Amino acid sequence: MTDNIPLQPVRHKKRHDNKRRDGCCPWSRCCGGGDFRPRTVWLGHPEKREQRYPRNVINNQKYNFFTFLPGVLFNQFKYFFNLYFLLLACSQFVNELRLGALYTYWVPLGFVLIITIVREAVEEMRCFLRDKEVNSQIYSKLSTRGTVKVKSSGIQVGDLIIVEKTFFPDFYHKGSCFLRTDQLDGETDWKLRLPVACTQRLPTAADLLQIRSFVYAEEPNIDIHNFIGTFTREDGDPPVSESLSIENTLWASTVIASGTVVGVVIYTGKELRSVMNTSNPRHKIGLIDLEVNCLTKILFGALVVVSLVMVALQHFAGRWYLQIFRFLLLFSNIVPISLRVNLDMGKMVFSWMIKKDSKIPGTVVRASTIPEQLGRISYLLTDKTGTLTQNEMVFRRLHLGTVAYGMDSMDEVQSHVFSAYTQPPHDLQASRAPGASKVRKTISSRVHEAVKAIALVHNVTPVYESNGVTDQAEAEQHYEDTCRVYQASSPDEVSLVQWTESVGLTLVGRDQSSMQLRTPSGQILNFTILQAFPFTYESKRMGIIVRDESTGEITFYLKGADVVMAGIVQYNDWLEEECGNMAREGLRVLVVAKKSLTVEQYQDFEARYVQAKLSVHDRSLKVATVIESLEMEMELLCLTGVEDQLQADVRPTLEILRNAGIKVWMLTGDKLETATCTAKNAHLVTRNQDIHVFRPVTTRSEAHLELNAFRRKHDCALVISGDSLEVCLKYYEYEFMELACQCPAIVCCRCAPTQKAQIVRLLQERTGKLTCAVGDGGNDVSMIQEADCGVGVEGKTVFSSVFYFASVPLYQGFLIIGYSTIYTMFPVFSLVLDKDVKSEVAMLYPELYKDLLKGRPLSFKTFLIWVLISIYQGKRILWLFYPMVRNKLHSVTELLSLACYIASLVFLHEFIEIFLIVTSCYLMNLTHVNKWNPPSYSKLTS
């Protein structure tokens, strides 16, 4: 039933840097693409649209039916390594250049291409099926014919949709509710969404179709934290207009907590915030492939030179230009096609070994084309929530200045709270007698005041559910503990309220104007919420003014970060020291204070506050000034310490990565204080390293000053917000990246998904190093796609079902690639199973990983040495074989030499080792790459 469901709106800030996102085809403008513009949307009347809007379909495929084969072939042959073999095979169609059967060239090449095409086809089909499943989801729509069913792909701008606990396109919804946005910004906390006031007086939801109303909304953009719009009802007398903000929206890829909402669709298809924050998938190629591609060009150049020399020795006689091509073909085995087969098969085995590794059970390799990238990673970029942390907050400490309570002494806090609400009045008088313990009375009252303040200063709402279905009408009457679930915009606040419940003071009810607490004796305390001041990034604090209905006392409670609360509370000599001690333990510290107000004081404040909220110019500044008039000489009550539990083995893992020479950057959509605490707690920032918190900057001059301040610090980790990062990259991209790459660790907070991908891309461009991105939610997909190697983990969040960066190929087929391919494949392929050191040794000495970062096994120097070795070996073989060819006895001598070799293995086994050492191995040792420069692991394996 949706008859009594209230309706709700939205707000978004206009982005001046919003980039044009054209469609993927030249006809995108005809399909509703082109430049994004504001729109007027009539409720329930999509036919009244003033412009064309894109269809509400999701398409994550890289190709379509017509572009699949050309696209796959282009991605293969745009590299010289593959193009070389294609030209080689095509040359055999010319009779004058043919050297053998066509299959000896085309079968190996065809095998490689078939593997690639099948792999891409499988991934495209999986992506198509996922898109089809999403586009075919059924929703309920309000229409003049009543409630009808409609597919997701059939939803249009202006439709009124009924939604229950599911994902959905961007819309305004009817009914206050909580939703989670972890797939957009990585935050798993519940966010409150409010209704449009003028629609709440309608008898039923169906009456929305009878009124004449519309929504004016800003143009689509990537900003998920802001919205600008208005709601207008024209058939009223007078007409009613309301402003819409982010508090009135429900974006796509968000989840509502419970109940049912009704909303008008504003954006669809590629105009969705979630789609605009997702980058297009790109074709990835491994670093080894690129290096081999470069070396192939060198070999081809050498091949051309040798061919010219051979023709020159013949004095360019006859059709010398044709002879050049023939020599090119004759010497083409210098770059054997079996090398490509070896690479593909080796990567397949590497992927299979990773999947079957018992030490990392459940691992799924979705990219068998780039597993070797894991051995060359220089930068690891990781999400925070659900990846480094479990996003489960646990209350750890209550500090009152003279006494502190940890997890092992919470029973003492509980006894103080119990005595405060259960001690009879005459016992309270007795406790004030001269002989009573003054210390005990003081501590008890201070504990009680602190717990009471923590139970009141928050934005938490208790919701009662029965068998998974909200039943407020019955469950809330009895405040059943088993049915209660806390919902809030911050998991920190939930942990605080859960802690007050554990010590005896329970939040049992709350709405926009009142709050109810239950004491240990079962008594219900009623408080009226007079004003509430939510937390903001600028203020770093939140407050609330409540009136105790039993006594009439008006109290202003405030909690916030120590850096701002230190100047608000009364003078004390312990706040700074204890905050530092708790922060070093990795705890999130909040300072709680209070101030008692008389009726006259509150009425004076309320009048000034209402007047400031009505201001047209500088409204936010005037409102903040009025609130700050209360924030003076407040009584310091306590400090609270909350710990965000880390994932298993996060600290030793980060330490191993750091010792291996890998720099770790944390990119998160969470708040600055939260990200900083997690960085300390996870030891992303070591204890002996300083942290530079980048000031919020909005202009070029501010960014210049802050960059200079940061430049003067050495071996210092950096913490920066997404907004400040955007300003720095706009004006000082090169300077900022130069400083950032010198930092031991970087923490970027309040990052949008596209910003995460932008940081990865800049790292790749500025450093030329390989990057790896790790995340667990849909907001991490863009970052994972952009990185050279992407890792998706199952963390706390709802895991995204769409990952574009990889595929799981199935290699099946019959290998007919000729004698040379098979003969040369297995000796080289056997190196896949080679191990320099044991895995235990590698984990014990992570510094060994630094050798891999240098890329010496495939450097130009190493390549040149092995080329010289191969020339030497070729000369020795030719020197032994040439007399047999000259005397035309090669067939007989081949059989004879084979028989002698077999006989020598049987009869001369005692001498064969010495012979090999003298004639072959010793000569090889003279030119061995690592003879004078042994690897760092040589001492560990000796």
Side-chain angles (χ1 to χ4, degrees), residues 86-231:
L86 176 64
L87 296 177
L88 195 67
C90 289
S91 68
Q92 297 305 292
F93 288 110
V94 180
N95 292 329
E96 295 179 322
L97 299 178
R98 180 176 297 181
L99 299 178
L102 287 176
Y103 71 85
T104 58
Y105 291 90
W106 280 100
V107 171
L109 182 62
F111 170 76
V112 172
L113 292 179
I114 289 174
I115 292 296
T116 302
I117 292 173
V118 170
R119 182 178 64 236
E120 292 291 337
V122 169
E123 175 58 21
E124 284 295 286
M125 181 56 65
R126 288 176 176 170
C127 192
F128 170 76
L129 294 177
R130 288 195 297 262
D131 292 343
K132 183 178 180 181
E133 181 181 0
V134 174
N135 295 329
S136 299
Q137 290 182 355
I138 303 298
Y139 295 92
S140 299
K141 181 177 74 172
L142 287 179
S143 68
T144 54
R145 305 189 306 273
T147 302
V148 297
K149 300 295 183 180
V150 60
K151 288 185 178 181
S152 176
S153 57
I155 294 175
Q156 303 180 57
V157 172
D159 284 343
L160 290 173
I161 304 296
I162 304 173
V163 184
E164 303 175 351
K165 278 193 177 182
T166 185
F167 296 96
F168 188 68
D170 304 354
F171 59 78
Y172 307 106
H173 67 274
K174 180 176 182 184
S176 300
C177 73
F178 283 91
L179 60 89
R180 197 165 73 177
T181 61
D182 55 292
Q183 293 297 309
L184 285 177
D185 55 19
E187 298 182 17
T188 57
D189 49 299
W190 295 101
K191 296 178 174 62
L192 180 65
R193 291 296 183 257
L194 303 175
V196 177
C198 66
T199 62
Q200 306 311 296
R201 295 183 290 271
L202 298 176
T204 65
D207 292 326
L208 289 169
L209 295 169
Q210 308 303 321
I211 64 175
R212 182 177 173 81
S213 58
F214 63 87
V215 171
Y216 177 79
E218 65 176 353
E219 71 279 3
N221 57 66
I222 64 174
D223 194 344
I224 60 176
H225 299 293
N226 296 284
F227 179 81
I228 296 176
T230 57
F231 177 88

Side-chain angles (χ1 to χ4, degrees), residues 302-490:
L303 182 62
V304 173
V305 171
V306 172
S307 300
L308 289 174
V309 170
M310 298 299 293
V311 174
L313 291 176
Q314 298 177 1
H315 306 289
F316 295 96
R319 302 170 66 183
W320 58 269
Y321 52 88
L322 191 60
Q323 293 299 321
I324 291 179
F325 285 104
R326 292 185 65 84
F327 278 119
L328 286 175
L329 294 173
L330 286 171
F331 297 146
S332 63
N333 283 334
I334 289 179
V335 188
I337 195 170
S338 59
L339 175 61
R340 175 58 193 270
V341 178
N342 281 326
L343 288 175
D344 282 354
M345 298 299 290
K347 292 178 180 183
M348 183 187 71
V349 173
F350 274 137
S351 302
W352 181 84
M353 293 170 66
I354 294 174
K355 183 178 180 181
K356 296 299 181 180
D357 194 336
S358 60
K359 297 180 180 179
I360 46 176
T363 302
V364 178
V365 180
R366 299 187 182 274
S368 64
T369 57
I370 53 174
E372 76 284 356
Q373 301 280 71
L374 293 173
R376 305 281 291 273
I377 300 299
S378 297
Y379 288 90
L380 178 69
L381 301 103
T382 175
D383 181 39
K384 179 189 76 69
T385 307
T387 304
L388 295 181
T389 70
Q390 302 180 30
N391 205 45
E392 293 181 358
M393 308 299 173
V394 179
F395 189 92
R396 293 296 186 190
R397 187 165 303 173
L398 177 69
H399 206 296
L400 302 179
T402 57
V403 62
Y405 298 95
M407 295 299 294
D408 56 348
S409 57
M410 289 304 171
D411 54 343
E412 188 175 346
V413 177
Q414 188 175 9
S415 64
H416 287 315
V417 175
F418 184 80
S419 62
Y421 289 105
T422 58
Q423 193 174 11
H426 63 275
D427 290 340
L428 290 174
Q429 295 295 333
S431 67
R432 297 190 182 99
S437 173
K438 182 178 181 181
V439 175
R440 178 172 177 79
K441 181 185 67 174
T442 304
I443 292 298
S444 181
S445 61
R446 289 174 64 191
V447 170
H448 165 240
E449 281 297 326
V451 174
K452 180 181 177 181
I454 296 172
L456 289 172
V457 57
H458 54 71
N459 285 314
V460 180
T461 301
V463 175
Y464 293 85
E465 297 186 353
S466 178
N467 296 326
V469 180
T470 300
D471 190 4
Q472 292 275 25
E474 191 169 332
E476 191 171 359
Q477 291 180 359
H478 303 92
Y479 299 126
E480 299 177 7
D481 293 341
T482 57
C483 301
R484 184 171 52 252
V485 177
Y486 293 117
Q487 294 178 344
S489 59
S490 171

Side-chain angles (χ1 to χ4, degrees), residues 53-56 155-157 169 265-272:
Y53 302 113
R55 291 185 60 212
N56 190 48
I155 294 175
Q156 303 180 57
V157 172
V265 178
I266 302 298
Y267 306 119
T268 55
K270 66 179 182 180
E271 294 181 343
L272 299 177

Side-chain angles (χ1 to χ4, degrees), residues 43-116:
L43 269 66
H45 296 284
E47 69 279 357
K48 291 186 178 182
R49 59 188 179 189
E50 56 187 20
Q51 56 181 293
R52 297 179 64 89
Y53 302 113
R55 291 185 60 212
N56 190 48
V57 294
I58 302 297
N59 184 6
N60 294 309
Q61 296 172 249
K62 293 187 292 185
Y63 312 102
N64 58 38
F65 179 80
F66 298 101
T67 63
F68 173 73
L69 191 58
V72 173
L73 294 178
F74 173 77
N75 285 328
Q76 290 297 307
F77 295 123
K78 68 180 179 181
Y79 298 103
F80 180 81
F81 183 68
N82 296 329
L83 182 62
Y84 171 78
F85 295 121
L86 176 64
L87 296 177
L88 195 67
C90 289
S91 68
Q92 297 305 292
F93 288 110
V94 180
N95 292 329
E96 295 179 322
L97 299 178
R98 180 176 297 181
L99 299 178
L102 287 176
Y103 71 85
T104 58
Y105 291 90
W106 280 100
V107 171
L109 182 62
F111 170 76
V112 172
L113 292 179
I114 289 174
I115 292 296
T116 302

